[in-house]
Amino acid sequence: MQLQIYNTLKREKELFVPRIPGKVSMYLCGPTVYNRIHLGNARTFVLGDTIRRILSFLGYDVTYVQNFTDVDDKIIVRAAELNITVDELVEQEIKNYFEDAKALGILPADKHPRVTAHIGDIIAFIGDLIAGGFAYVGGGDVFYDVQKFPAYGQLSGQKLDDLVMGSRVEAGEAKRHPADFALWKGAKPGEPFWDSPWGKGRPGWHIECSAMVRAELGGHIDIHAGGMDLQFPHHENELAQSEALCSGEPFARYWVHGAFLNVNDGKMSKSQGNFFILSDVLKRYDGNIVRFFLQSAHYRKPLSFDATSLDSATVALNRLRNACGALEHVLTALNAPQAAGEMLNLDQYEARFKSALADDFNTAEAWGVLFELARDANAALALKGIANAELALSLMQRLAGVLGVELTVDRSLDEEIEALIARREEARFARDYWTADNIRVLLAELGIELLDTPQGVRWKLK
Ligand code: AMP
Ligand code: ZN
């Protein structure tokens, strides 16, 4: 299976060729830990986890790193608001992040480096840039000298001259060019600081990722990912920093950027106030549903969120859960996995599922293949039955699992429901239609629909 990835740097889909055959190193810019993540952030973190899982499914040995930005103005401000220390806030928010990630089926990365644990690496990186002539000391700060890096602007498709217009030099900043950016910021009163060869201060945001990539994965990686808003300036600057020291070989072979989750056509963001905190959403919806919803559009296409999105996703995912339930039912009702009936050609679903994912991680199309499998299984069950029901069921669950979604049929209500169904059957047998009807209504209120099948009464989630 030939994997194609859309590379932002080249603005086209390219055949994926990792640096080392069979192995992939991947880095995704993680959260700034000052607040619980919102659904928009979740789209990007689910994307990283999904790509990682797809790469494993396609047979690659993946090393995945996602950082925590634990030094930032927003963290300092929020800790002060809450009247707690920066450390307390950071610990709390990292714990919250892992809780949210777990609910969404996001596996822990192989490494989750924190900026504060890599200050030495960051200082060493800045030192290398100064030694190489790519950075300079100005006042108490250190700046990257964009004019020394001719390819500056390549990732975001901008020219240095155009960037002069868009950049500002703040009063007191000793920049040589308006697009120069801080690698090290001199300490300000009341803020966390570290000692460095350039005085007390703290790192700039962009250098953190370059240094953590180098420390955790080496100077070159296969895939660098993040949300679309990070393309410029964050990733442009990361590229400039890392490639200044890279001697010809690209820093990241493929740059992958995820589109936004939108609300009313605008990006969901904290600053716009149009955000939904993920943990609030998870009080009402199962993480599998949220994850499925976030994968329902191609990652490079904007996805709109509104009041009906997650209910529609629930209905859609229940179609797959019900198909699994129906397959399970024939298996248990007949107690014969090799039951008679039609033999579904399962290989072709898996092949098409795989090729959808190998085409620039097209999860929307891959889910479409699973819906076809569910539809075909339901149709076959309604006619002659399925000879390979057990395999069909395990395939559907395994492929959903590749995308990190558990397609388990909810069995928590089973006993209660089965007991009600049995009582209804007894009532019907005794011609007590009043009781039988009441039970049907009660089940309907629980969201259960009854189906009379050749194998007896079955039920499914509405
Ligand atoms: P932050 O914590 O603000 O640095 O954001 C963490 C990640 O979430 C970044 O990769 C952003 O690109 C991403 N992100 C923020 N808002 C959205 C959104 N509405 N849709 C998708 N990704 C987002
Ligand atoms: Zn980053």
Side-chain angles (χ1 to χ4, degrees):
M1 189 67 52
Q2 300 246 296
L3 172 60
Q4 302 269 337
I5 301 182
Y6 182 90
N7 187 352
T8 307
L9 188 61
K10 306 286 177 57
R11 286 166 188 76
E12 63 183 9
K13 266 193 232 176
E14 293 185 318
L15 182 67
F16 178 64
V17 184
R19 297 180 66 240
I20 302 168
K23 289 194 190 295
V24 182
S25 53
M26 172 167 162
Y27 182 91
L28 179 118
C29 297
T32 304
V33 280
Y34 70 106
N35 211 335
R36 286 199 93 125
I37 62 168
H38 61 63
L39 205 52
N41 304 134
R43 184 176 189 201
T44 295
F45 302 137
V46 165
L47 170 65
D49 177 74
T50 302
I51 291 177
R52 174 211 201 167
R53 287 171 181 263
I54 293 171
L55 290 166
S56 301
F57 175 62
L58 296 178
Y60 293 101
D61 175 10
V62 187
T63 308
Y64 182 47
V65 175
Q66 180 187 310
N67 73 295
F68 286 115
T69 299
D70 61 350
V71 185
D72 188 86
D73 290 339
K74 285 179 281 200
I75 300 176
I76 299 168
V77 169
R78 178 128 169 95
E81 275 169 14
L82 296 173
N83 201 19
I84 56 177
T85 66
V86 162
D87 283 352
E88 284 166 341
L89 177 63
V90 162
E91 290 309 321
Q92 182 57 46
E93 292 306 329
I94 288 179
K95 195 167 147 268
N96 289 344
Y97 170 81
F98 281 121
E99 196 179 296
D100 290 343
K102 189 169 178 210
L104 285 184
I106 296 175
L107 300 171
D110 294 296
K111 292 210 174 127
H112 282 280
R114 302 180 188 194
V115 174
T116 51
H118 284 279
I119 299 290
D121 295 317
I122 293 169
I123 289 172
F125 205 114
I126 297 172
D128 292 348
L129 286 172
I130 293 175
F134 291 95
Y136 59 92
V137 181
D141 306 323
V142 181
F143 293 102
Y144 187 91
D145 194 344
V146 293
Q147 294 170 101
K148 296 281 169 57
F149 189 71
Y152 191 81
Q154 60 181 329
L155 182 63
S156 53
Q158 305 180 82
K159 296 210 173 64
L160 206 48
D161 291 345
D162 307 334
L163 286 167
V164 176
M165 307 293 288
S167 320
R168 271 192 316 150
V169 180
E170 305 287 336
E173 276 185 336
K175 287 186 187 178
R176 292 179 186 165
H177 185 281
D180 288 353
F181 53 91
L183 300 171
W184 188 260
K185 301 175 185 177
K188 296 203 189 86
E191 292 181 359
F193 64 84
W194 290 264
D195 286 320
S196 83
W198 319 287
K200 293 186 193 318
R202 60 187 167 115
W205 173 31
H206 317 300
I207 194 69
E208 298 167 355
C209 284
S210 282
M212 285 186 283
V213 169
R214 186 167 82 167
E216 302 292 1
L217 292 166
H220 311 274
I221 57 174
D222 293 305
I223 300 176
H224 196 311
M228 220 177 66
D229 51 343
L230 299 189
Q231 226 179 89
F232 186 85
H234 185 54
H235 289 167
E236 189 74 62
N237 293 353
E238 241 188 89
L239 190 158
Q241 293 158 166
S242 296
E243 242 158 68
L245 307 178
C246 262
S247 63
E249 195 187 334
F251 162 52
R253 289 170 87 98
Y254 303 85
W255 288 87
V256 172
H257 290 105
F260 293 139
L261 181 73
N262 286 341
V263 178
N264 298 327
D265 292 334
K267 173 192 175 192
M268 180 181 286
S269 77
K270 290 204 178 121
S271 60
Q272 295 302 308
N274 60 354
F275 61 92
F276 293 85
I277 293 291
L278 178 68
S279 53
D280 291 336
V281 174
L282 289 171
K283 285 178 195 149
R284 289 192 50 205
Y285 296 92
D286 167 10
N288 287 292
I289 305 248
V290 178
R291 183 173 174 111
F292 165 75
F293 163 67
L294 294 173
Q295 292 174 336
S296 64
H298 189 273
Y299 77 88
R300 282 189 291 116
K301 300 223 171 80
L303 175 65
S304 291
F305 177 74
D306 62 37
T308 62
S309 302
L310 292 174
D311 289 328
S312 309
T314 306
V315 170
L317 201 62
N318 277 348
R319 268 172 43 216
L320 298 185
R321 288 169 167 162
N322 284 329
C324 289
L327 288 166
E328 254 182 37
H329 182 81
V330 286
L331 290 171
T332 46
L334 302 179
N335 201 18
Q338 60 283 47
E342 190 183 331
M343 184 75 91
L344 289 183
N345 173 3
L346 297 175
D347 292 345
Q348 59 93 13
Y349 298 101
E350 178 155 6
R352 286 192 295 128
F353 177 86
K354 208 174 210 173
S355 67
L357 295 180
D359 178 12
D360 194 27
F361 313 117
N362 195 337
T363 51
E365 202 177 304
W367 277 114
V369 174
L370 293 190
F371 282 106
E372 274 180 52
L373 171 57
R375 190 195 59 201
D376 296 346
N378 285 336
L381 283 175
L383 290 169
K384 295 179 260 171
I386 299 179
N388 49 353
E390 195 166 21
L391 288 175
L393 173 61
S394 65
L395 180 70
M396 194 137 57
Q397 290 178 328
R398 180 166 61 82
L399 297 186
V402 167
L403 294 170
V405 172
E406 279 183 35
L407 267 193
T408 42
V409 187
D410 183 6
R411 292 279 165 238
S412 59
L413 280 174
D414 276 19
E415 275 183 34
E416 201 178 320
I417 292 165
E418 300 289 348
L420 282 169
I421 291 173
R423 267 182 52 208
R424 178 171 164 270
E425 288 302 282
E426 280 168 26
R428 285 213 302 188
F429 187 71
R431 292 171 187 264
D432 176 2
Y433 298 115
W434 187 81
T435 303
D437 269 0
N438 276 337
I439 294 176
R440 181 181 273 277
V441 170
L442 180 65
L443 286 166
E445 280 167 5
L446 288 171
I448 306 294
E449 189 181 334
L450 296 178
L451 310 160
D452 288 306
T453 76
Q455 293 92 25
V457 180
R458 284 214 311 107
W459 58 272
K460 65 173 196 168
L461 299 168
K462 268 198 271 210

